[in-house]
Amino acid sequence: MSSAIKQGQWAILLWPYLLTTSIPLDCRDEQGGLSRCPSISQEKLLDRVIQHAELIYRVSEESCSLFEEMFIPFPLQLQRNQAGYPCITKALPIPSSKSEIQQISDKWLLHSVLMLVQSWIEPLVYLQTTLNRYDGVPDMLLNKTKWVSDKLMSLEQGVVVLIKKMLDEGLMTTTYSEQGLFQDDGQPEMLEYVMRDYTLLSCFKKDAHKMEILLKLLKCRQNDIHSCA
Amino acid sequence: MYPGPTSPVNRLHKSVSSVRSSGSRQWTQHGQNTEGETESFCQLKARLCGATMKKVLEVILLLLLLVVTHAKGTRYSPPGKPALTRCRSPEKETFTCWWEPGSDGGLPTTYALYYRKESSDTVFECPDYRTAGENSCFFNKNDTSIWVNYNITVVATNALGRTFSDPVDIDVVYIVKPNPPEQVAVTVMEDKGWPFIRVSWEPPHKADTRSGWITLIYEIRVKLEEENDWEMHLAGQQKMFNIFSLRSGGKYLVQVRCKPDHGYWSEWSPSSYVKVPDYFHREKSVWILITVFCAFIFLILTWLLHMNSRSLKHFLLPPVPGPKIKGFDKQLLKNGKSEEVFSALVATDFPPKSSNYEDLLVEYLEVYIPEEQELMLEKSMDLDVGCLKCEGSASDSDSGRGSCDSHTLLMHKCDGVKEEEERQAKEARRHQKDWKEEASTYAHVDVSPDMSSGRVKTWPSVFSPLPRYTSNQQGSLEMAKQHYLSDSLFPTSSTSSYHTQPGHGTTEAHGPGYWECGLSNKQPHLLHPQAQAQRQLQARSDDNISSIGRKQTPAGLHSPARRSTEYVEVERVNEEDMVLLQPVSGRCGDVEGYPEMPYGEDYSKVKGVDMDNMLLLQREVREETENCDTSSTVTTTQKPAACIHSAMPVEGEMVLGVNGYVDTATVCTPPTY
C-alpha cells in the first residue's frame, strides 16, 4: 500500500517521465491474476531473457559500428583497442572476471544484471533524442536505437519477474530518473558531444555483453552447477 | 659488463713492463752472477728475443682492438622505441601481449611491460615474461579482468636510457582469438545412393562454450585435392556439417575454424583428407536409356521414310499440272516449232459458238467486229480528231476484260468535235465504273440521240459482240438475271451489226437506271428510224447486246472507258424514234446538264403493252434540280416495241412487278422461230 502511494506520488510529480514508467509487475500465477503476466516456467523465462540480452547486444554492436562509421574520424575510432572513455556504469560493482563471476551467487548475478539494465534505460532514451539532431543520421541507426531502448525495458521486466520467481523478491521496475546527468544540451555535432555519444554507445555495447554473459552463466548454473567451469 | 678497451692494452703494457722488469732483473742478476757469465748471457739474449716478439705481437693486437672498438663505440645510444604489436586472448580468461623491440642502441636493453587498469592508477608490471615466449607478456586468470580497459606500455631500458612505447588500451573481451577447433572428423555417408561428407568437430578445449562464457561460430572450407579454390560453408554454432554434391571418386580436404561473436577468427584446423567412393550416376543411366530409345525411334522413322519416299515426295511436292489450253499441243512445243504451236492455238471456231452462254459469259468476253462494222468504224475514226484507231477487228483474247476495256471502246475516247460529244464523253467518264467480271452483264445504255443525224445511239456497256452474233442472240433472257438490255438504236441499213455509242446529253438518259424492256433479241425498234435509215433496235440479254450500227458515226464517239456500270432509263422515244434515256438518279451532278440517275433500282415504268406487242413506257415526271435539263421523254405512242419480234405476245402475260414494272426477263422469251 505504501509503495503504491509512493509510486503514485512520484508519478504525479514527474509526469513527463511517465513515458518511461512501467507498471509494477505483480505476477500472481496462482490465481487468475493479472493478464499482463501469464504464468511461464522459470527455464523458459530465463531462456527468453537470455535471448533478449543476446539480441540487445547484437543490435547495440551494429548501432555502435554505424555511428562510428558515420561520425567518428578514423584516428579516434576505438574499434581496434576498444578502450575509451570511462563508462557511466563503472561504478557498479559488477564482477569483472570469470573467476569472480563464478564466485558470486545467483542472487548477485541477477541483481547485477538488473542494475545494469536499469541504469541504461534512461541514457538510451536520451540517446534517441540526441541522435535525432545529427545531420544525415541514417534512419537505420535511429530505428536500432529505438528498438534497443524498447527491448531493454522489456528485458528489465523479464529480469524482475525472474528475480521474483527465483529469489522470491518483489521489485519495482524503473519508473523515473534520479540522475540528472543527461540534459539536452543542444549543439550536437561538436566533437565533444559526438565523442560523448560515441562513448555512450560503446559503453552500452559492453554492458549489454555483460548482461548476456551473466545471464548465460546463470543458466548454466541452473542446469548443472558442476559442469560450469 | 663490457671489459673496456683498456685491458688488452694494460695487459700488453703489463707484459711489456714485466718483460722489462724481468729483463732488468735479469740484468741485475746478471751483474751478480759473473761466474756463469757466458751461459747466462746467451739465455738472456734468447729471452730478450722472445720478449720482444711477444711485445710486438701484443702491440699489434692492441692496435687492432683499438681500431675496432673505436669504430663501434661511437654509436651507443638509448634504446629505440618498442611497439606493442598485438594482444590476444584465446578463451577470454587469459591474454598475452607481444611487442616488437626497437633498436637496442648498441647496449643490452631490457624490456618491461607495465599496465594500468581503467579504474585505478596503480601501475603493475607484467607478471610473466616467459610463458608466451620472447618479447611477450602473459596475463593469467588472476590478472585478467574482463570488461575492463587495460592501458599497457612497454619500456625499453639500456645503459644509456629508457624509452617508452605508445600506450595501448585493450579490453580483453574484444581481443579474443580462439584456438582452432579440435577433433575434426570427416566421414563419408550415404543418402539414398548419393554420398555426402559429414564433418564434425569440437571447440577448442580451452574455450568454455558449455557455460556460455564464449559463444563460438564455425566455418568450414572444402576443396578437391588437385584444385585451388576452396568452398566455404558457414556452420553457425553447430558442431556438425554435411557437404553434398561431391565428385565421384574425388579426394577432398576439409578445414574448420571458429570465431567468438565479437572477436577474431581462429586459424584453420589442420587438413583432414577424405576420399569419396566411386558411385554411379543414376541420372546418367536415365539419360543413356533415353538416348538409346530416341536413336531407335529415329532409325525406324528413317526406314519408314525410305520405304514411302515416293508417296511422300508426291505429297510434299505435287507434280505441276500441265497446261490445259485447248488446242495446245505439248508435243509441238517440245518439238520446238513455235509457229505451229501458236497457229494451232488460233482455233477456227473461235470465238466458240457454244450454246452454253454461261461459258461465254465467264470466259469469253470478246468483242467481235465484222468487216462492215470495221469499215464504219474506220470511217468514223477518220472523222474524229485525235481519235484512236480502232482495232476492234482483232479479237481481244483477254477474257477478263469487259467491253469497256476492249478496243472497240477505246476509240470513243477521243474528244468530240461537237459539244454533245464532249458531254457524252463526260458522261461516259462519269458513269464509268470498275467492271467486275461477274457483273459483266450490266448493260449500260447511253443514248444520245444525235439530233443532227436523227439517230440515237446507245452504247451497250457490256460487250457488244457485233453482228455475227445477231444470229446468236437469244438470249435466253432467262439467263440474264441481272439484265440489262442495252438498247441501241441505230438506224442502219445493215442487218444486225450494231454498235452503240455513248449518247448525247440532252436526250439521253444516263445513270444507273436501266431500261427493262421486253426487247426482243432480234431487232426491236423503238423508233422508226429516219426515212433513210433503218433503225433497228436490238436487245440482247446478258451477253447479247444489240448494237445498232450507224452509217455515220457521230463525232461523239467517246470512249466508254470510264463508263460506270450504271443504267439509264429510257425516258421516252421521241418523234424520230429515238429513245431518249434519262439517268435514273435525280442527281444533277458533275457533268453539266446531265441529270444522273439514281443507282440501282430504277426502271422505266411500263405503261402498257399495245396491240403490236409494243411496250408503252411511261414517262416519269421528276423533280429536277435547277441544273438539270429536262430529260428527254420517251414517247409512248409509237414504236415498235422492243419485244416486237418476240414470238409471244406480251399482253397475254403481262407480268407486272410490284411497282408496276415489267420484268422483261420473264416476259420476253426467245423467239421460237
Side-chain angles (χ1 to χ4, degrees):
Chain A
M1 185 58 183
S2 63
S3 66
I5 291 171
K6 188 179 174 189
Q7 183 189 357
Q9 277 176 352
W10 280 111
I12 291 165
L13 282 175
L14 297 164
W15 62 268
Y17 296 99
L18 274 177
L19 291 172
T20 63
T21 299
S22 316
I23 298 172
L25 292 175
D26 186 11
C27 295
R28 288 183 286 252
D29 41 5
E30 298 86 30
Q31 291 97 12
L34 302 173
S35 62
R36 283 190 56 138
C37 193
S39 69
I40 182 172
S41 73
Q42 190 177 304
E43 291 80 20
K44 264 197 191 154
L45 185 59
L46 187 55
D47 280 340
R48 284 196 201 174
V49 166
I50 288 172
Q51 280 168 15
H52 263 70
E54 275 179 342
L55 276 173
I56 287 169
Y57 170 70
R58 204 169 299 163
V59 175
S60 69
E61 188 179 26
E62 289 168 9
S63 308
C64 191
S65 308
L66 211 59
F67 186 87
E68 188 178 68
E69 272 172 37
M70 291 218 53
F71 300 110
I72 306 294
F74 187 74
L76 293 174
Q77 285 185 5
L78 307 173
Q79 197 72 14
R80 294 301 155 204
N81 50 24
Q82 294 301 316
Y85 296 80
C87 290
I88 56 172
T89 54
K90 70 177 181 179
L92 295 178
I94 310 291
S96 59
S97 75
K98 192 179 176 194
S99 46
E100 284 179 39
I101 293 170
Q102 282 162 359
Q103 286 162 15
I104 66 174
S105 63
D106 290 357
K107 179 175 170 178
W108 274 111
L109 269 180
L110 277 171
H111 277 281
S112 308
V113 171
L114 190 61
M115 266 194 288
L116 279 171
V117 171
Q118 285 176 337
S119 61
W120 274 108
I121 286 183
E122 193 172 295
L124 279 184
V125 172
Y126 161 77
L127 195 64
Q128 277 183 69
T129 55
T130 202
L131 277 180
N132 269 322
R133 292 184 283 115
Y134 276 75
D135 244 356
V137 59
D139 279 341
M140 196 159 64
L141 182 60
L142 294 173
N143 292 343
K144 283 192 204 283
T145 322
K146 173 111 183 44
W147 185 89
V148 164
S149 179
D150 294 340
K151 275 288 179 268
L152 199 65
M153 289 197 237
S154 53
L155 178 67
E156 187 203 10
Q157 288 180 11
V159 173
V160 165
V161 173
L162 199 59
I163 287 175
K164 172 110 177 56
K165 277 185 185 276
M166 291 175 70
L167 308 173
D168 258 341
E169 297 173 12
L171 287 175
M172 285 201 345
T173 58
T174 308
T175 50
Y176 44 81
S177 153
E178 292 173 357
Q179 307 164 353
L181 282 179
F182 302 100
Q183 286 96 15
D184 196 353
D185 289 0
Q187 282 181 340
E189 304 289 358
M190 282 175 60
L191 191 63
E192 188 189 321
Y193 293 104
V194 172
M195 292 309 292
R196 188 184 67 186
D197 293 338
Y198 181 52
T199 308
L200 212 59
L201 277 170
S202 307
C203 288
F204 176 67
K205 178 172 80 167
K206 202 183 290 190
D207 286 345
H209 188 243
K210 277 189 212 176
M211 291 179 228
E212 184 190 336
I213 299 290
L214 290 173
L215 287 166
K216 279 184 179 172
L217 278 177
L218 181 67
K219 176 175 172 141
C220 177
R221 281 195 202 177
Q222 296 294 309
N223 295 336
D224 181 5
I225 194 160
H226 297 293
S227 64
C228 298
Chain B
M1 266 302 285
Y2 198 84
T6 56
S7 53
V9 177
N10 292 337
R11 262 190 271 126
L12 192 57
H13 282 309
K14 274 188 193 162
S15 62
V16 169
S17 60
S18 68
V19 166
R20 268 201 229 116
S21 61
S22 65
S24 63
R25 258 186 277 124
Q26 291 291 335
W27 284 109
T28 53
Q29 284 178 0
H30 182 70
Q32 291 171 5
N33 301 333
T34 55
E35 292 84 33
E37 278 179 13
T38 50
E39 305 94 25
S40 60
F41 186 76
C42 288
Q43 286 173 356
L44 191 65
K45 254 196 183 171
R47 263 190 255 142
L48 266 174
C49 285
T52 315
M53 289 301 289
K54 269 195 201 168
K55 193 168 112 184
V56 168
L57 278 170
E58 283 184 16
V59 167
I60 291 169
L61 271 171
L62 182 63
L63 282 167
L64 275 172
L65 273 169
L66 268 171
V67 168
V68 166
T69 53
H70 215 47
K72 272 196 200 170
T74 52
R75 302 269 178 93
Y76 294 164
S77 68
K81 195 173 182 182
L84 273 166
T85 50
R86 63 191 180 110
C87 295
R88 289 287 180 265
S89 167
E91 77 286 81
K92 212 157 69 174
E93 296 165 34
T94 66
F95 72 103
T96 313
C97 283
W98 289 267
W99 66 83
E100 180 72 31
S103 72
D104 61 355
L107 299 164
T109 315
T110 54
Y111 294 92
L113 187 143
Y114 300 97
Y115 68 91
R116 193 173 59 82
K117 292 194 184 179
E118 72 175 16
S119 46
S120 72
D121 289 327
T122 320
V123 178
F124 300 93
E125 193 180 347
C126 172
D128 188 341
Y129 286 104
R130 297 200 181 281
T131 311
E134 189 80 21
N135 293 333
S136 70
C137 177
F138 176 76
F139 294 81
N140 61 11
K141 284 191 190 182
N142 299 331
D143 298 324
T144 307
S145 302
I146 319 293
W147 303 303
V148 170
N149 281 334
Y150 281 76
N151 190 309
I152 297 174
T153 318
V154 175
V155 179
T157 314
N158 71 358
L160 291 177
R162 50 165 61 182
T163 314
F164 289 81
S165 69
D166 290 332
V168 162
D169 285 313
I170 57 158
D171 189 333
V172 179
V173 163
Y174 298 121
I175 57 166
V176 180
K177 178 178 176 178
N179 294 327
E182 298 166 359
Q183 299 173 32
V184 178
V186 181
T187 50
V188 178
M189 307 185 76
E190 196 169 294
D191 170 37
K192 294 177 197 158
W194 299 98
F196 65 93
I197 291 177
R198 171 162 290 176
V199 189
S200 62
W201 58 87
E202 290 298 316
H205 66 273
K206 282 192 191 166
D208 183 10
T209 50
R210 207 176 38 220
S211 65
W213 183 245
I214 294 186
T215 310
L216 293 173
I217 56 173
Y218 302 94
E219 195 180 34
I220 299 150
R221 66 177 188 182
V222 189
K223 78 167 174 125
L224 277 166
E225 192 177 17
E226 55 269 13
E227 295 199 2
N228 292 330
D229 294 329
W230 288 94
E231 185 184 324
M232 313 292 282
H233 300 278
L234 194 66
Q237 291 182 23
Q238 64 200 41
K239 299 192 189 55
M240 183 262 294
F241 195 78
N242 296 327
I243 300 173
F244 298 90
S245 300
L246 303 170
R247 193 181 298 180
S248 159
K251 191 168 182 192
Y252 285 91
L253 273 74
V254 180
Q255 289 182 328
V256 192
R257 67 174 181 179
C258 58
K259 165 178 153 2
D261 45 359
H262 43 77
Y264 301 93
W265 280 106
S266 70
E267 298 296 330
W268 287 104
S269 66
S271 295
S272 304
Y273 292 88
V274 66
K275 183 162 188 323
V276 178
D278 296 316
Y279 63 95
F280 186 60
H281 250 273
R282 219 183 284 158
E283 259 179 24
K284 257 192 221 164
S285 66
V286 172
W287 280 112
I288 289 170
L289 269 174
I290 289 174
T291 312
V292 166
F293 187 63
C294 284
F296 188 59
I297 297 229
F298 180 69
L299 278 171
I300 289 178
L301 279 174
T302 312
W303 181 75
L304 277 172
L305 266 175
H306 176 68
M307 299 305 283
N308 296 338
S309 59
R310 181 182 296 270
S311 56
L312 198 69
K313 197 160 71 162
H314 278 274
F315 177 70
L316 286 175
L317 306 168
V320 179
K324 285 187 195 161
I325 301 175
K326 225 175 183 178
F328 186 78
D329 194 353
K330 245 202 280 192
Q331 286 304 316
L332 279 179
L333 188 65
K334 280 182 189 169
N335 293 340
K337 299 192 180 129
S338 56
E339 303 87 10
E340 289 174 11
V341 171
F342 291 127
S343 63
L345 277 178
V346 178
T348 51
D349 62 345
F350 189 77
K353 299 184 177 60
S354 94
S355 59
N356 189 356
Y357 282 98
E358 279 187 352
D359 278 350
L360 287 177
L361 182 64
V362 175
E363 291 168 3
Y364 301 103
L365 304 178
E366 290 313 323
V367 178
Y368 189 90
I369 301 181
E371 309 299 331
E372 311 96 347
Q373 206 56 34
E374 258 180 67
L375 288 172
M376 280 172 63
L377 285 173
E378 298 289 343
K379 281 187 205 167
S380 63
M381 293 300 289
D382 294 339
L383 291 177
D384 293 338
V385 177
C387 282
L388 298 174
K389 249 336 188 182
C390 170
E391 299 173 3
S393 57
S395 57
D396 191 348
S397 60
D398 183 356
S399 61
R401 284 189 288 159
S403 59
C404 277
D405 297 331
S406 66
H407 299 283
T408 52
L409 297 179
L410 284 173
M411 69 173 118
H412 303 295
K413 211 170 193 177
C414 317
D415 285 335
V417 173
K418 297 179 185 174
E419 187 189 5
E420 298 93 2
E421 288 140 12
E422 285 179 8
R423 276 182 267 167
Q424 289 172 15
K426 285 173 193 164
E427 252 179 343
R429 284 190 290 271
R430 175 167 55 106
H431 296 298
Q432 187 59 45
K433 270 191 192 173
D434 290 337
W435 289 81
K436 293 179 191 174
E437 204 166 350
E438 60 270 17
S440 57
T441 53
Y442 285 106
H444 180 85
V445 181
D446 287 342
V447 174
S448 68
D450 189 350
M451 301 305 283
S452 59
S453 56
R455 297 183 211 152
V456 173
K457 302 159 241 184
T458 61
W459 184 251
S461 51
V462 190
F463 30 87
S464 49
L466 291 179
R468 308 264 171 102
Y469 287 10
T470 54
S471 51
N472 293 338
Q473 307 152 356
Q474 23 328 75
S476 28
L477 286 174
E478 295 99 25
M479 315 246 340
K481 293 178 200 163
Q482 307 165 338
H483 318 325
Y484 342 77
L485 300 179
S486 61
D487 300 328
S488 52
L489 312 176
F490 286 108
T492 153
S493 50
S494 63
T495 54
S496 52
S497 61
Y498 305 101
H499 70 88
T500 59
Q501 294 159 3
H504 168 315
T506 54
T507 57
E508 67 187 28
H510 290 275
Y514 71 92
W515 181 31
E516 278 183 344
C517 163
L519 297 175
S520 73
N521 300 330
K522 298 286 177 129
Q523 294 169 1
H525 3 265
L526 287 178
L527 309 171
H528 55 81
Q530 282 180 350
Q532 64 274 27
Q534 299 174 4
R535 273 162 277 167
Q536 289 178 353
L537 182 64
Q538 201 170 18
R540 289 177 188 257
S541 59
D542 349 57
D543 48 348
N544 300 327
I545 297 209
S546 62
S547 57
I548 301 176
R550 290 199 58 186
K551 286 181 185 166
Q552 293 181 359
T553 60
L557 291 182
H558 296 293
S559 162
R562 297 179 49 215
R563 193 177 303 272
S564 59
T565 60
E566 292 180 339
Y567 307 104
V568 297
E569 184 182 7
V570 176
E571 193 183 357
R572 63 184 163 92
V573 180
N574 65 4
E575 302 74 19
E576 293 154 316
D577 292 335
M578 286 193 287
V579 173
L580 304 171
L581 300 176
Q582 185 186 21
V584 171
S585 64
R587 256 185 317 136
C588 304
D590 20 4
V591 180
E592 71 273 10
Y594 292 157
E596 270 190 43
M597 308 291 272
Y599 187 72
E601 65 274 358
D602 287 317
Y603 307 96
S604 309
K605 223 173 184 177
V606 175
K607 192 177 178 186
V609 179
D610 65 358
M611 297 308 153
D612 298 333
N613 295 332
M614 288 190 288
L615 278 178
L616 307 175
L617 302 177
Q618 188 174 28
R619 173 185 181 182
E620 289 189 10
V621 179
R622 300 179 181 259
E623 307 97 48
E624 312 212 334
T625 62
E626 50 279 11
N627 289 341
C628 293
D629 292 338
T630 60
S631 40
S632 54
T633 58
V634 177
T635 58
T636 57
T637 51
Q638 325 155 326
K639 316 328 137 356
C643 298
I644 192 164
H645 294 285
S646 63
M648 310 263 293
V650 176
E651 70 255 1
E653 319 176 7
M654 196 146 72
V655 178
L656 289 175
V658 176
N659 302 331
Y661 291 107
V662 176
D663 188 358
T664 54
T666 56
V667 171
C668 293
T669 56
T672 53
Y673 56 88

